[in-house]
Amino acid sequence: QVQLVESGGGLVQAGGSLRLSCVASQRTFSSYTMGWFRQAPGKEREFVAAITRSINSIYYLDSVKGRFTISRDNALNTVYLQMNSLKPEDTAVYYCAASPKIFSRITDDWAFWGQGTQVTVSS
């Protein structure tokens, strides 16, 4: 069982930046692909970004490419999501997730989830 705890959400004006962090409980953190998803009110949870366990592959939702950067520090059991040039449409609850699979955009393929952190971007 992997426990994930997100932090770093908040309220920011459009054009601003936030950095989300997610700390994993397990020492086997480096064996999981890590990802970020988000869910806006009334919408389904969607994939945002993922980074494979050996950091050899990174994936992004098209609408965040060039604005968001995912990274991980396996020594600290932590994955980050740096979000720049934020837009009101980025407003959502952001979830950290871990998967034993190499990569998938499908939420059902991700085994472990954090509790979520709210990101609100005002116009």
Side-chain angles (χ1 to χ4, degrees):
Q1 187 77 9
V2 179
Q3 293 184 327
L4 303 172
V5 179
E6 304 101 332
S7 61
L11 173 64
V12 65
Q13 289 187 334
S17 298
L18 283 174
R19 187 194 197 201
L20 305 183
S21 300
C22 171
V23 180
S25 61
Q26 275 213 353
R27 296 169 64 182
T28 55
F29 171 80
S30 61
S31 64
Y32 291 92
T33 288
M34 298 300 298
W36 289 94
F37 289 72
R38 67 186 181 187
Q39 187 166 19
K43 294 188 177 181
E44 292 189 353
R45 192 170 298 187
E46 67 174 353
F47 165 79
V48 175
I51 183 167
T52 56
R53 49 198 165 195
S54 55
I55 319 180
N56 58 350
S57 295
I58 290 176
Y59 306 88
Y60 292 104
L61 177 68
D62 283 348
S63 62
V64 307
K65 285 181 180 177
R67 300 189 297 122
F68 290 12
T69 302
I70 188 171
S71 61
R72 66 190 294 167
D73 187 332
N74 288 339
L76 297 178
N77 288 2
T78 302
V79 61
Y80 305 96
L81 186 66
Q82 177 68 43
M83 305 185 294
N84 299 328
S85 301
L86 282 161
K87 304 175 181 180
E89 51 264 44
D90 295 318
T91 295
V93 177
Y94 283 71
Y95 296 90
C96 174
S99 175
K101 298 186 177 184
I102 294 177
F103 174 66
S104 172
R105 295 176 185 267
I106 302 172
T107 55
D108 286 349
D109 289 337
W110 293 75
F112 305 104
W113 294 85
Q115 82 289 351
T117 185
Q118 176 70 46
V119 171
T120 303
V121 185
S122 63
S123 58

